[in-house]
């Protein structure tokens, strides 16, 4: 297609673009205040091929903020789990709790952690949607790359991607060879990983991998000497890659069993709790890492995921089918009273038994990527069924039952989508699309403790469009502007009654630039979110239970910038800064508190990361790699949202360092030290009114040494 822009005008525009590139890179790398220099980040190379937009392309082709982390990047930073990605990605926050996990991106999150709620960030494993956030909170092993798309992805990813999407892409290489490693570390940690490829024929073969990670936990119970906040993960994965004519088939099956105690170190805070409460005078806590429980607290989850990808080229188009299956189970038993209370007022045991099964099918058609007009279109179907059982009793009071209930649910979703790119000139592209989705969730509640049975349905039909303009003035730069809309499905409350609530929606506007000039890679974006019918979990004083409502609105705006520089052949620097301003509007919680004007949960105003890496060659086959990184985030409202005045964590920084020595092409040693300064920081804090404030702390200083062998 010939451009309507004259040659002289085009030359001037490209000169302007080159000037802007240098200016952007200069701004990003200007000396910042001292606290801003204590960050860590990672900037994706424009040469990395990604599939974030349902097709293969480079990061420089994606007109939105995208972070990509390769296996080498994850290993170099000592990243072992998805929750640790927050050290490299400003705006991403995980708040693991015993009853579920909250995930946030740029202020968009779900502060409810239950099977009745939906996540705001869609997590996919090899193209298959994981409906329960805890399925994503796992050991990262044998990973090819991780893609993190920021901003609503309603067109290509559909519902429950209002904050963005995280794609976990396993290594599917079937070349002969493999790797095995053994790590030992803090709290009697041992970590074993293996991966092996077995070719069967040309472009066909299988890959087997697995991991075991076990430690004694960083919180202890002084009554039982039992570990809390410990991990015991066993994971196995098998991938088969086959070629039948022109068709390519990939089957991935992964099973993860977690018998650890994630989130079980929650504790009563006498300092923050109101005087005169039920647990006043409790001696449940001797210190943040030493608490008491009447019985050993247990938590176990298991997750099975299957992903079948089939792609068939048909001339100028390609057909792809993605079939998914997930099965997730979670059971935990909690001592929910403040054990050690001198008066022995209440002895409480709470048991949750939850499960979910889901199947999904996506059909895609893609046109030739070399054409001037390119289209990705598809159909999607999803069905999830599950149950939530809750038993809450007082053993010391004749086994008096407070709750003995079960909620069963079924969720279905059907969607059709299209996304098209049209080249307006050699360097200017218009991108637009939309998705129509029909959602339905039915829940039925039954009680064996006197509460009336109840059932209900929440349904919605929605259209989530997107419109983008991409300008590529050179092979190494890109400027963009985009609009997108996201929608999160409605849900139901768990515990006491259903309390059905409707969907939430988000309209997003973003402008940005990314590219490389010389040795400097950069990315900068400004964004504005108009957030309506926000789903928020708060404390209902009637029965002292938590409820999700969606009566609030919110505004979010900010700016994000990142850069990396190859200062020398051996020295690499990277930095990432994010500023987010969020404000809740028109919201009064069930207690009558007007919360209008406060920020959204898990949304620090400032997040800064930065890292320094140094590679030292020591010979033809051996080398030493050193890296240190720091992350700082400012005052953060934690996801409790019952009493925002105290449910906060002040600003803090986490400093980490890693080293790796390659003895030769086959053997390596590595070491990682996380939270070097042993910073004490809260990851959850909930004010339960007369029952006091319950909180949980993040991991202390830890280290791990690892020996790996490649073959």
């Amino acid at each position: 297609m010939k451009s309507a822009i004259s040659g002289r005008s085009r030359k001037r525009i490209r000169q302007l673009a080159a000037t802007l590139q240098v200016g952007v890179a200069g701004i990003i790398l200007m000396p910042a205040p001292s606290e801003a220099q204590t960050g860590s980040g990672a900037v994706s190379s424009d040469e990395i091929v990604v599939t974030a937009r349902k097709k293969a392309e480079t990061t420089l082709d994606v007109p939105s903020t995208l972070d990509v982390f390769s296996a080498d990047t994850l290993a170099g930073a000592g990243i072992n789990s998805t929750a640790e990605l927050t050290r490299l990605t400003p705006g991403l926050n995980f708040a693991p709790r015993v009853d579920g996990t909250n995930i946030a991106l740029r202020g968009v999150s779900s502060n409810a952690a239950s099977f009745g709620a939906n996540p705001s960030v869609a997590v996919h494993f090899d193209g298959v949607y994981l409906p329960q956030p805890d399925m994503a909170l796992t050991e990262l092993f044998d990973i090819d790359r991780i893609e993190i798309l920021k901003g609503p992805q309603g067109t290509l990813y559909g519902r429950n991607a209002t904050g963005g999407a995280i794609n976990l892409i396993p290594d599917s290489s079937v070349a002969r060879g493999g790797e095995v490693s053994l790590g030992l570390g803090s709290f009697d940690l041992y970590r074993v990983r293996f991966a092996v490829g077995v070719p069967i024929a040309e472009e066909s073969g299988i890959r087997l991998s697995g991991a075991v990670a076990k430690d004694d936990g960083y919180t202890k119970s002084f009554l039982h000497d039992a570990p809390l906040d410990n991990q015991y993960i066993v994971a196995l994965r098998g991938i088969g890659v086959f070629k039948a004519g022109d068709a390519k088939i990939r089957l991935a099956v992964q099973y993860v069993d977690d018998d650890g105690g994630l989130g079980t170190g929650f504790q009563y805070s006498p300092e923050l709790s109101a005087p005169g409460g039920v647990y006043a005078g409790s001696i449940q806590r001797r210190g943040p890492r030493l608490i008491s429980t009447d019985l050993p607290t247990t938590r176990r989850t298991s997750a099975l995921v299957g992903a079948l990808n089939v792609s068939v080229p048909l001339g100028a188009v390609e057909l792809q089918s993605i079939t998914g299956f997930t099965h997730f189970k979670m059971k935990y038993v909690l001592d929910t009273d403040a054990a050690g209370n001198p008066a022995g007022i209440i002895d409480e045991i709470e048991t949750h038994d939850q499960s979910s099964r889901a199947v999904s099918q996506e059909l895609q058609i893609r046109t030739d990527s070399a054409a001037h007009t390119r289209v990705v279109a598809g159909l999607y179907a999803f069905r999830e069924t599950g149950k939530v059982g809750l038993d809450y009793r007082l053993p010391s009071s004749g086994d008096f039952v407070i709750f003995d209930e079960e909620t069963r649910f079924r969720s279905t979703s059907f969607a059709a989508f299209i996304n098209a790119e049209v080249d307006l000139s050699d360097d200017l592209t218009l991108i637009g699309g939309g998705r129509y989705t029909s959602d339905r969730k039915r829940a039925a509640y039954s009680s064996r403790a006197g509460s009336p049975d109840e059932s209900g349905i929440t349904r919605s039909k929605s259209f989530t469009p997107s419109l983008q303009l991409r300008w590529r003035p050179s092979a190494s730069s890109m400027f963009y502007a985009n609009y997108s809309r996201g929608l999160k499905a409605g849900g139901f409350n768990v515990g006491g009654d259903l309390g059905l609530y409707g969907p939430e929606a988000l309209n997003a506007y973003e402008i940005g630039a990314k590219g490389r000039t010389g040795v400097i890679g950069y990315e900068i974006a400004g964004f504005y979110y108009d957030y309506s019918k926000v789903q928020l979990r708060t404390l209902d004083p009637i029965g002292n239970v938590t409820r999700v409502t969606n009566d609030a609105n919110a505004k979010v705006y900010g700016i994000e910038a990142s850069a990396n520089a190859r200062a020398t052949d051996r020295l690499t620097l990277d930095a990432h800064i994010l500023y987010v301003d969020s404000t809740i509007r028109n919201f009064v919680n069930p207690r009558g508190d007007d919360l209008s004007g406060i920020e959204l949960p898990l949304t620090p105003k400032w997040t800064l990361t930065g890292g320094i890496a140094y590679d030292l060659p020591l010979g033809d086959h051996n080398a030493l790699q050193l890296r240190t990184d720091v992350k700082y985030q400012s005052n953060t409202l934690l996801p409790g949202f019952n009493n925002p005045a105290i449910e906060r964590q002040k600003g803090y920084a986490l400093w980490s360092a890693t080293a790796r020595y390659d003895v030769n092409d086959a053997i390596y040693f590595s070491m990682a030290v996380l939270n070097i300064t042993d910073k004490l920081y809260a990851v959850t804090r909930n004010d339960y009114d007369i029952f006091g404030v319950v909180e949980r702390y993040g991991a202390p200083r830890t280290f791990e040494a690892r020996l790996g062998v490649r073959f």
Side-chain angles (χ1 to χ4, degrees):
M1 178 182 293
K2 290 186 177 180
S3 171
I5 304 174
S6 69
R8 180 176 296 178
S9 298
R10 184 185 298 277
K11 182 177 180 181
R12 289 177 178 174
I13 291 173
R14 285 178 173 163
Q15 288 174 343
L16 173 61
T19 302
L20 287 173
Q21 288 184 63
V22 175
V24 169
I27 291 171
I28 293 174
L29 293 179
M30 282 177 60
S34 57
E35 68 173 358
Q37 295 178 13
T38 64
S40 157
V43 178
S44 307
S45 167
D46 54 290
E47 298 175 354
I48 296 179
V49 175
V50 298
T51 53
R53 295 196 304 149
K54 309 280 187 177
K55 63 177 185 176
E57 58 188 344
T58 69
T59 59
L60 203 55
D61 292 320
V62 180
S64 60
T65 305
L66 171 66
D67 289 343
V68 183
F69 302 103
S70 66
D72 289 341
T73 300
L74 298 174
I79 302 294
N80 291 306
S81 71
T82 47
E84 294 176 8
L85 290 171
T86 60
R87 290 173 32 216
L88 301 180
T89 308
L92 176 65
N93 277 293
F94 280 78
R97 298 170 14 183
V98 69
D99 57 346
T101 297
N102 306 119
I103 309 176
L105 258 178
R106 283 182 176 173
V108 182
S109 70
S110 172
N111 74 325
S114 76
F115 274 40
N118 295 294
S120 298
V121 179
V123 181
H124 293 75
F125 171 81
D126 207 18
V128 172
Y129 173 62
L130 306 181
Q132 301 300 328
D134 274 78
M135 299 180 72
L137 198 68
T138 185
E139 183 87 356
L140 290 176
F141 65 99
D142 203 30
I143 290 290
D144 179 74
R145 67 185 184 278
I146 295 176
E147 302 171 352
I148 302 176
L149 271 165
K150 298 181 180 179
Q153 306 298 321
T155 296
L156 291 176
Y157 288 90
R159 63 174 192 163
N160 305 339
T162 46
I166 300 175
N167 295 327
L168 307 176
I169 295 127
D171 192 337
S172 58
S173 168
V174 294
R176 188 177 304 278
E179 181 177 337
V180 62
S181 66
L182 170 64
L184 301 174
S186 303
F187 307 107
D188 291 329
L189 166 73
Y190 69 81
R191 190 191 313 274
V192 179
R193 292 177 178 171
F194 76 90
V196 59
V198 182
I200 298 174
E202 185 178 359
E203 299 186 58
S204 298
I206 60 174
R207 185 176 184 87
L208 302 175
S209 58
V212 177
K214 186 177 187 300
D215 63 36
D216 290 340
Y218 54 82
T219 308
K220 300 289 185 182
S221 169
F222 60 77
L223 287 183
H224 295 278
D225 193 28
L228 303 169
D229 291 322
N230 59 309
Q231 62 175 329
Y232 187 10
I233 297 173
V234 178
L236 293 171
R237 181 190 305 146
I239 295 180
V241 178
F242 310 98
K243 189 173 182 181
D246 291 332
K248 295 181 180 179
I249 303 169
R250 183 176 70 252
L251 174 63
V253 179
Q254 175 176 287
Y255 177 77
V256 179
D257 182 89
D258 185 350
D259 195 16
L262 176 68
T264 55
F266 65 91
Q267 51 202 267
Y268 169 75
S269 173
E271 297 85 2
L272 295 176
S273 300
V278 172
Y279 300 128
S282 170
I283 56 171
Q284 189 252 359
R285 178 165 76 182
R286 293 181 180 175
R289 311 294 186 194
L290 188 61
I291 63 177
S292 69
T293 57
D294 293 335
L295 74 163
T297 299
T298 61
R299 181 184 190 272
R300 185 167 191 169
T301 67
S302 64
L304 175 65
V305 183
L308 175 62
N309 282 262
V310 181
S311 60
V312 182
L314 297 173
V317 302
E318 182 178 14
L319 298 178
Q320 182 170 4
S321 168
I322 304 174
T323 305
F325 171 79
T326 68
H327 185 200
F328 180 70
K329 294 190 292 185
M330 173 192 289
K331 183 175 182 179
Y332 54 93
V333 180
L334 308 178
D335 171 25
T336 53
D337 66 273
N341 188 324
I345 298 175
I346 298 178
D347 180 19
E348 304 167 355
I349 296 178
E350 183 176 338
T351 303
H352 289 249
D353 193 353
Q354 308 174 133
S355 63
S356 156
R357 292 177 184 265
V359 292
S360 61
Q361 177 62 55
E362 182 168 343
L363 297 174
Q364 299 175 15
I365 182 170
R366 292 187 294 270
T367 62
D368 189 348
S369 60
H372 288 292
T373 299
R374 300 166 295 280
V375 176
V376 176
L379 300 172
Y380 180 78
F382 171 85
R383 184 177 188 271
E384 180 186 18
T385 59
K387 66 176 183 178
V388 181
L390 170 61
D391 184 288
Y392 192 25
R393 62 187 60 219
L394 310 179
S396 60
S397 302
D399 213 24
F400 178 75
V401 176
I402 300 177
F403 294 118
D404 185 4
E405 60 191 33
E406 182 179 83
T407 302
R408 292 182 175 269
F409 67 92
R410 181 174 66 235
S411 175
T412 57
S413 181
F414 301 95
F417 64 90
I418 185 170
N419 196 61
E421 301 184 9
V422 179
D423 292 332
L424 303 179
S425 69
D426 292 341
D427 48 26
L428 190 64
T429 303
L430 180 66
I431 306 168
R435 186 185 192 105
Y436 177 80
T437 304
S438 176
D439 285 325
R440 184 178 186 271
K441 180 176 285 188
R442 183 184 187 280
Y445 166 85
S446 61
S447 172
R448 293 178 291 275
S451 299
D453 292 353
E454 183 182 357
S455 64
I457 297 174
T458 176
R459 53 168 63 92
S460 65
K461 295 180 179 180
S462 61
F463 180 66
T464 49
S466 62
L467 184 64
Q468 301 159 330
L469 190 64
R470 181 181 67 200
W471 179 39
R472 290 287 302 269
S474 71
S476 59
S477 65
M478 188 263 282
F479 298 82
Y480 66 89
N482 71 42
Y483 160 78
S484 59
R485 179 175 173 84
L487 184 116
K488 183 165 72 173
F492 60 90
N493 289 288
V494 174
D497 62 72
L498 287 178
L500 295 163
Y501 51 89
E504 69 176 27
L506 187 148
N507 291 296
Y509 308 84
E510 179 172 326
I511 58 172
K514 60 177 74 174
R516 178 166 294 276
T517 174
V519 298
I520 301 171
Y522 64 87
E523 186 168 359
I524 185 168
F527 56 92
Y528 172 78
Y529 296 165
D530 186 358
Y531 206 176
S532 60
K533 296 293 183 181
V534 184
Q535 297 172 4
L536 289 171
R537 186 202 68 163
T538 58
L539 185 68
D540 189 338
I542 301 177
N544 202 62
V545 294
T546 56
R547 289 285 177 265
V548 177
T549 62
N550 65 322
D551 301 321
N553 298 315
K555 303 293 183 183
V556 182
Y557 67 87
I559 187 168
E560 183 169 1
S562 58
N564 63 2
R566 190 76 173 179
T568 70
D569 291 341
R570 299 179 180 179
L571 180 65
T572 302
L573 310 174
D574 56 69
H576 204 146
I577 181 171
L578 172 65
Y579 172 81
V580 180
D581 191 298
S582 65
T583 306
I584 294 175
R585 300 184 178 184
N586 310 319
F587 182 62
V588 177
N589 69 9
R591 298 198 303 186
D593 303 323
D594 187 351
L595 301 182
S596 302
I598 69 169
E599 74 271 33
L600 289 163
L602 294 176
T603 312
K605 187 159 287 189
W606 290 98
T607 308
L608 305 105
T609 66
I612 302 173
Y614 189 80
D615 298 337
L616 181 62
L618 299 176
D620 293 337
H621 301 285
N622 54 357
L624 178 64
Q625 301 171 337
L626 304 173
R627 178 177 173 84
T628 184
D629 58 72
V630 182
K631 174 186 177 181
Y632 168 81
Q633 71 178 39
S634 59
N635 188 294
T636 304
L637 176 62
L638 299 175
F641 212 67
N642 302 328
N643 184 356
I646 64 173
E647 293 170 332
R648 295 181 173 275
Q649 169 59 51
K650 295 180 179 179
Y652 65 96
L654 297 177
W655 176 29
S656 305
T658 61
R660 173 171 169 144
Y661 174 61
D662 286 280
V663 179
N664 49 44
D665 291 339
I667 301 174
Y668 68 87
F669 295 96
S670 67
M671 176 170 285
V673 183
L674 309 183
N675 192 2
I676 293 175
T677 60
D678 203 21
K679 179 67 179 179
L680 182 67
Y681 61 98
V683 292
T684 62
R685 183 170 286 145
N686 295 64
D687 183 1
Y688 289 110
D689 202 17
I690 63 171
F691 291 93
V693 176
V694 174
E695 58 191 2
R696 176 180 168 265
Y697 291 95
R701 177 174 52 242
T702 60
F703 74 90
E704 180 180 353
R706 186 179 301 174
L707 168 65
V709 178
R710 295 180 290 264
F711 53 89

